[in-house]
Amino acid sequence: MAKATVVIPPSAPKPNRFSGLGQKILVPILAVFTALVIGGLIILISGGNPLEAYRGLIEGAFGTTKAISETFIWATPYIFAGLAVAIAFKGGLFNIGAEGQLALGALAAAWLGYGLPRMLDTTIPAIIHVPLVVIGGALAGGLWGAIPGWLKARTGAHEVINTIMMNYIALGLVSFLLNGPMKDPSPTNVIARTPSIAETAHIGTIFANPALRVHWGTLLALIVAFLIWWLLWKTTVGFEIRTVGTSSGAARYAGINVGRTIVLTMFLSGGLAGLAGAVEVAGLNYRHELSFALGYGFDAIAIALLGRTHPFGVVLASILFGAMRSGATRMQFLTQIPVDIISVVQALILLFVAADEIIRYVYRIRAPKEEVIMTRGWGG
Amino acid sequence: MADQISALEIKDITKQFPGVLANDKVSLNLKKGEIHALLGENGAGKTTLMNMVYGLYHPDHGQIFVNGQEAHIKEPTDAINLGIGMVHQHFMLIPVFTVAENIVLGNETIKGLQLDRRAASQRIRELSQQFGLEIDPNAMTGELPVGVQQRVEIIKALYRHCNVLILDEPTAVLTPQEADDLFRIMRELTQRGVSIIFISHKLKEVLAIADRITVLRGGRVVGETTPQTSDEHSLAAMMVGREVLLTVEKEKAQPKEVVLHVEGLRVKDKREHEAVAGVMLEVRAGEVLGIAGVQGNGQTELVEALTGLTHSFGGKMILAGQDVTNATPRRLVDAGIAHVPEDRHQFGMIKSYPIADNMILNTYHQEPYARRRTMNNKAIEEHAKRLVAQYDVRTPSVYTKGEALSGGNQQKMVVAREFSRPIKLLIAAQPTRGLDVGSIEFIHKRIIEQRDAGAAVLLVSAELDEVMSVSDRIAVMYRGKIIATVEAKTATREQLGLLMAGITPEQVAQK
């Protein structure tokens, strides 16, 4: 064991609250760059022209106002779900269950959207109905997320296992409800989906132009990202979440109720995932359908890691992933390169961000790494 | 003639770590059959140097000669083949293996597909007779006392035919009697031709056992001397680079009302064993009660129970007249307990947090640092700046991360936080472990200041010297119980050493 004293050279700049920002951004940027280069090589090997493909991708993502609008449509659920995974990481928890929490959030929102007015046999004013749908979805996701949190706090059961299991339960439940009790009863419908939600539950679009589908939910996502940042770094609750996430020993020493903080963190995490589902329902699809929103909860893990688990990083990573998703179709249309190549690039990004030693080695980055504690050992 | 050749010679070794020159042209000459002490403060580069000899690190420059031949030691196997053995501070033994299994591990004699236990036991018996190291090869290692486990490590090295033995801080975990036993063994070994490098920062021991002493400071050799031509003061001055006070200056204690009253406290350790088996103690305002004892006799669990980090399952704890048995750490802090934890990295600080946040780790919820759950960065920053200045924490900024500080400065940070609020009871566990002499002096002074300001102080330390010089009364803990309490003024090392080994005066009288 080296017990060397770290001597800080006198010429080194004095750290302040914002120290190490450049360092934090550098690795994700290089990871994206490297993934794109390797993706380009794969395109080249399979007989395509990578430059043209990427030109198509960029055009498809940012080429027109409609393209930009679609990029943000994609980015919105990514932001919510990415924040969900990121806040859990900050609390030392690996929430793999965003997928299930999101599906339940969407389901709850859909029911509040179509079922509640019918049950009450009245129209609910939009000013009440929209918040009800959105908050209801968040609550559903939050409670679903709090269960593995409570199990961990109470029994030490590892959240990775339990959130995966809760995914199966949630997705099975949603599938059952969409095929049965909550299935759209209209005679022409053959797919597993709910009826349309009431118009009073719709989140409005920002622009009058019907081609631009981007809705106020996108703005909500940005506001929520800011609120999460504020919560984590400007409040005692955030201090507690981060402290528990870094060291449960030090957290107990600091007088923090570790169990309660874990449950709270998982509730917030699940709530954000639920919000992703609710906003998709109320802002875009106006119903929940089994095939909608599949995979967001897993992409969210990549986004949280690429964003270095920082709320603002998550926003940037979400826009990038949104752009790749929305640009991919244009790329395929222009170059006949299948959209699947984008999944490959995204997987490579995740790989390089998670195994950032590779990036540090390739680009000879010497500065010390900042650890993201993904999860602690079993029973830890 | 052969005796003229050194067993081990280190020539101009330099080792650079990022940001620190750990060894700077260090030379050392170990003669055959001598005990050579390597003395220095923590971070002086002693362990780094020895890790290079043992092949765990590689020097940037310089040469190592074994028996006059230049050696290129790439990994521990090379060192072992050259006859170099090392006993680390933390033993590398598997508790559920027998002594024999541990000794042969990695160097097994095989009979068919099976371990030749008989041959191994035979060889171990031979070695233990030859060197006067009593040991039962079939004993379960984990059940042996620490001193005996250390013996297992030494035999393990001898089993691999070592003739240079490196002992890294071997007495840190021993009672004074066990240490004496170790010294006897070391002398025995040297008579049989083994040469020993003895790493230590304890002056008394070095003077007692070494033939020659090399002092390291800041990665450089600052001098070579012998016990005959030096004393504690001159060695301390060489180690630190200035004159140091070896004793703590303090007035006679003025004990007042009882602040902490503990009765029949029982605590289980992580393996559900009863580690604290009915402790009774009282600490008064204005006095320091020291708890002496060999590590692992329940001190850790006692402190964790008194500070709310773990639950007790029996007994009572009363703080200033209030029953606080099994209260939460939050409630105890609010009731006026300060706690300098034994393991600062596990409990006392968060390495990735800036100093400013570490300074409010357990008071972050209080005004002025937070108001209605909103953190007040300005107040936090000012508080940290004040404490950094007041406690001389060497750092470029209060936003430097805790991990960038040296051990001594990290500890000063913890001490600053805990001593800077009004407190009734201070619980300091191993407050100077791993610190240099200068920081130790500083922290001892501050503890006495707290005492004189009217706090009750409970000091738990494995360093007998520390307990003896800082405390007013000393309680000795053995197997989960306080077996005696004595006045510090009249206590002797021998008396305490016997008590630490569980031998009470009554037992001595019976014998």
Side-chain angles (χ1 to χ4, degrees), chain A residues 1-3, chain B residues 42 47 51 56 86-94 146 149-150 153 156 166-173 295 342-343 433:
Chain A
M1 278 285 122
K3 274 207 247 135
Chain B
N42 281 293
T47 303
N51 280 342
L56 292 166
M86 184 160 175
V87 177
H88 297 268
Q89 255 178 68
H90 302 283
F91 303 151
M92 316 268 176
L93 298 172
I94 299 171
V146 180
Q149 290 193 23
Q150 191 170 53
E153 284 275 19
K156 193 172 170 175
I166 303 167
L167 300 172
D168 190 0
E169 305 264 5
T171 58
V173 291
Q295 281 178 41
E342 172 181 335
D343 185 340
R433 175 186 282 174

Side-chain angles (χ1 to χ4, degrees), chain A residues 116-118 120-126 128-129 198-200:
Chain A
L116 189 66
R118 282 188 207 171
L120 301 175
D121 199 19
T122 174
T123 46
I124 304 167
I128 297 170
H129 205 181
E199 276 205 27
T200 49

Side-chain angles (χ1 to χ4, degrees), chain A residues 15 17 234 236 240 252-253, chain B residues 309 339 364 375 397 399:
Chain A
R17 273 184 218 138
K234 301 290 167 195
T236 55
E240 286 165 1
R252 281 191 295 138
Y253 173 90
Chain B
L309 290 171
H339 175 204
Y364 70 92
M375 309 281 280
S397 148
Y399 292 107

Side-chain angles (χ1 to χ4, degrees), chain A residues 55-74:
Chain A
R55 218 189 68 199
L57 189 70
I58 292 168
E59 232 181 75
F62 300 108
T64 59
T65 45
K66 181 172 186 307
I68 295 171
S69 160
E70 287 302 303
T71 293
F72 276 92
I73 287 281
W74 276 100

Side-chain angles (χ1 to χ4, degrees), chain A residues 1-8 14-17 230 233-237 239-240 242-243 246-247 249-256 370, chain B residues 19-20 42-43 51 57 309 329-330 339 346-347 350 352-353 361-362 364 370 373-375 377 381 396-397 399-401 404 406 417-418:
Chain A
M1 278 285 122
K3 274 207 247 135
T5 319
V6 179
V7 177
I8 299 149
K14 285 191 176 187
N16 56 40
R17 273 184 218 138
W230 179 81
W233 276 280
K234 301 290 167 195
T235 69
T236 55
V237 177
F239 189 86
E240 286 165 1
R242 288 185 294 121
T243 303
T246 323
S247 158
R252 281 191 295 138
Y253 173 90
I256 296 166
E370 177 135 340
Chain B
V20 62
N42 281 293
N51 280 342
Y57 297 146
L309 290 171
R330 171 68 47 88
H339 175 204
Q346 193 193 348
F347 295 118
I350 292 187
S352 61
Y353 276 14
L361 188 59
N362 48 7
Y364 70 92
R373 302 201 169 211
T374 309
M375 309 281 280
N377 279 332
E381 179 178 319
S397 148
Y399 292 107
T400 302
K401 286 184 180 168
S406 69
R417 179 184 68 223
E418 295 306 303

